[in-house]
Amino acid sequence: MLSGKACRLGGRLRSCFETPSARLFISSSNMAKSKFEYVRNFETDDTCLRNCYIVVRLDGRNFHKFAEQHKFTKPNDNRALGLMSRSARSVMEELEDIVIAYGQSDEYSFVFKRTSTWFKRRASKLMTHVASQFSSSYVFYWKEFFGDQPLLYPPGFDGRVVLYPSNRNLRDYLSWRQADCHINNLYNTVFWTLVLKGGLTTAQAEDRLKGTLAADKNEILFTEFDINYNNESALHRKGTALIWEKREETTTKRMKLPNEEEKEVPITRSRRRVEAYHCDIIGDQFWEEHPDILEDDNC
């Protein structure tokens, strides 16, 4: 339905018409400047400081119960660890400013490059996007790792944002997380070996390990169960570091060349892909082999 009104064009008064859609457009534009807009002043400015690495760390919420309910293998369930890394890979593919992610057990840390301007560096936006992408990916890829085993209830992950101004600070943070991985995994390996192979109850195993040092735990594994901890899976001992790397990919395409019949022609392209490493990231070797991860401290 058209509505008429008078309008002046070129000095002459003429009849003009406006459509309902045009009226709606005008109305919505006017509403954007409504009297209620002042409520935006209550929002907190959470812009992250410039020239700092932005780290978003996620931790599984009440994952001890989640692991029990879903019968995760003790002390490590490769399906669950694989699902965590697949979810983290999904986050990195969505947010390409993440230069490295490190995960172990039920946690993952995502490092945004120092010069990132994603979401105008707003901490709340970065954290919620990472958390929601990770959580939805965990549910989406569940069957890929657990097959027909049902997901009994949705998992939850809490997040935090921390800023690190220098390469040394960032490396120390990641070293802290990997040291935590080693401490926890060594304890869990000995604990569950005492329970599953040594016949102790969980209370007895806990009591046995009270006050023991790393050397004592290694001795228990080796002398009582013939297990050399250093031969255990690097995935369990070192955790997982995800980084971007360029890979040459060759595909074939049917093309018709001048004066020749159509045929298959190989085409090689360089693509960035997320690759996983289960290695030491505390020492210098990893960083020397992947110099593109860190930015110059003088930027």
Side-chain angles (χ1 to χ4, degrees):
M1 181 177 179
L2 299 177
S3 64
K5 66 176 182 179
C7 60
R8 186 173 298 276
L9 294 173
R12 299 177 59 185
L13 198 61
R14 295 187 179 179
S15 177
C16 297
F17 295 90
E18 63 179 8
T19 62
S21 59
R23 293 200 308 274
L24 288 173
F25 177 79
I26 293 170
S27 298
S28 0
S29 175
N30 291 336
M31 286 184 67
K33 299 293 183 181
S34 73
K35 66 178 182 180
F36 306 111
E37 192 176 3
Y38 78 93
V39 297
R40 295 180 61 185
N41 296 326
F42 288 90
E43 294 183 15
T44 302
D45 181 12
D46 61 350
T47 304
C48 293
L49 191 66
R50 293 179 60 185
N51 297 330
C52 291
Y53 292 103
I54 303 172
V55 176
V56 178
R57 188 169 105 221
L58 301 184
D59 289 278
R61 181 181 176 276
N62 202 5
F63 249 58
H64 177 77
K65 174 186 174 184
F66 186 86
E68 291 291 340
Q69 293 283 319
H70 292 89
K71 297 180 171 54
F72 283 6
T73 304
K74 304 293 186 181
N76 292 290
D77 192 309
N78 287 337
R79 301 169 302 170
L81 294 173
L83 179 54
M84 289 286 291
S85 291
R86 182 64 188 88
S87 303
R89 186 188 302 268
S90 174
V91 173
M92 291 186 68
E93 290 168 348
E94 181 71 17
L95 301 170
E96 295 185 3
D97 270 6
I98 296 172
V99 291
I100 183 172
Y102 176 76
Q104 50 108 354
S105 186
D106 65 341
E107 72 168 60
Y108 244 101
S109 296
F110 299 89
V111 181
F112 286 82
K113 65 184 183 181
R114 191 152 39 188
T115 53
S116 177
T117 56
W118 277 78
F119 303 114
K120 298 181 180 179
R121 295 179 70 87
R122 290 187 60 184
S124 56
K125 290 279 189 179
L126 292 166
M127 183 177 66
T128 52
H129 196 113
V130 170
S132 61
Q133 182 72 26
F134 190 94
S135 300
S136 59
S137 298
Y138 195 95
V139 175
F140 185 83
Y141 293 110
W142 174 268
K143 285 190 175 181
E144 186 177 312
F145 293 87
F146 285 87
D148 294 331
Q149 181 177 334
L151 180 63
L152 302 178
Y153 58 89
F157 296 88
D158 64 69
R160 72 200 70 186
V161 175
V162 187
L163 306 182
Y164 294 101
S166 70
N167 291 338
R168 183 73 266 165
N169 294 151
L170 178 65
R171 283 189 54 180
D172 285 347
Y173 167 78
L174 293 170
S175 297
W176 171 47
R177 299 323 304 144
Q178 187 166 68
D180 187 72
C181 172
H182 164 70
I183 293 168
N184 290 338
N185 188 67
L186 177 58
Y187 180 91
N188 289 333
T189 299
V190 182
F191 180 88
W192 287 106
T193 299
L194 289 170
V195 172
L196 300 175
K197 294 184 178 180
L200 301 186
T201 65
T202 54
Q204 289 171 332
E206 185 177 356
D207 188 61
R208 172 81 187 276
L209 294 176
K210 279 181 181 177
T212 57
L213 303 176
D216 302 320
K217 296 180 179 70
N218 277 295
E219 185 69 15
I220 291 172
L221 287 174
F222 189 73
T223 58
E224 298 184 27
F225 302 99
D226 196 28
I227 295 174
N228 185 337
Y229 180 74
N230 291 326
N231 294 334
E232 293 294 291
S233 169
L235 165 64
H236 305 155
R237 292 184 295 110
K238 302 293 186 182
T240 302
L242 301 177
I243 62 173
W244 289 101
E245 287 193 335
K246 286 186 178 180
R247 289 284 188 266
E248 298 292 331
E249 293 183 357
T250 302
T251 57
T252 56
K253 184 178 181 180
R254 294 192 67 84
M255 298 180 65
K256 184 175 177 61
L257 301 177
N259 304 321
E260 293 185 25
E261 295 182 359
E262 190 177 82
K263 64 177 184 179
E264 299 282 347
V265 177
I267 298 176
T268 302
R269 292 188 178 92
S270 179
R271 296 183 183 275
R272 286 208 325 158
R273 296 182 56 183
V274 178
E275 300 291 339
Y277 285 85
H278 313 295
C279 62
D280 175 69
I281 61 173
I282 297 176
D284 293 331
Q285 183 177 345
F286 173 81
W287 303 99
E288 290 170 355
E289 291 175 353
H290 306 283
D292 295 338
I293 297 174
L294 301 177
E295 297 175 77
D296 188 350
D297 266 339
N298 296 320
C299 69

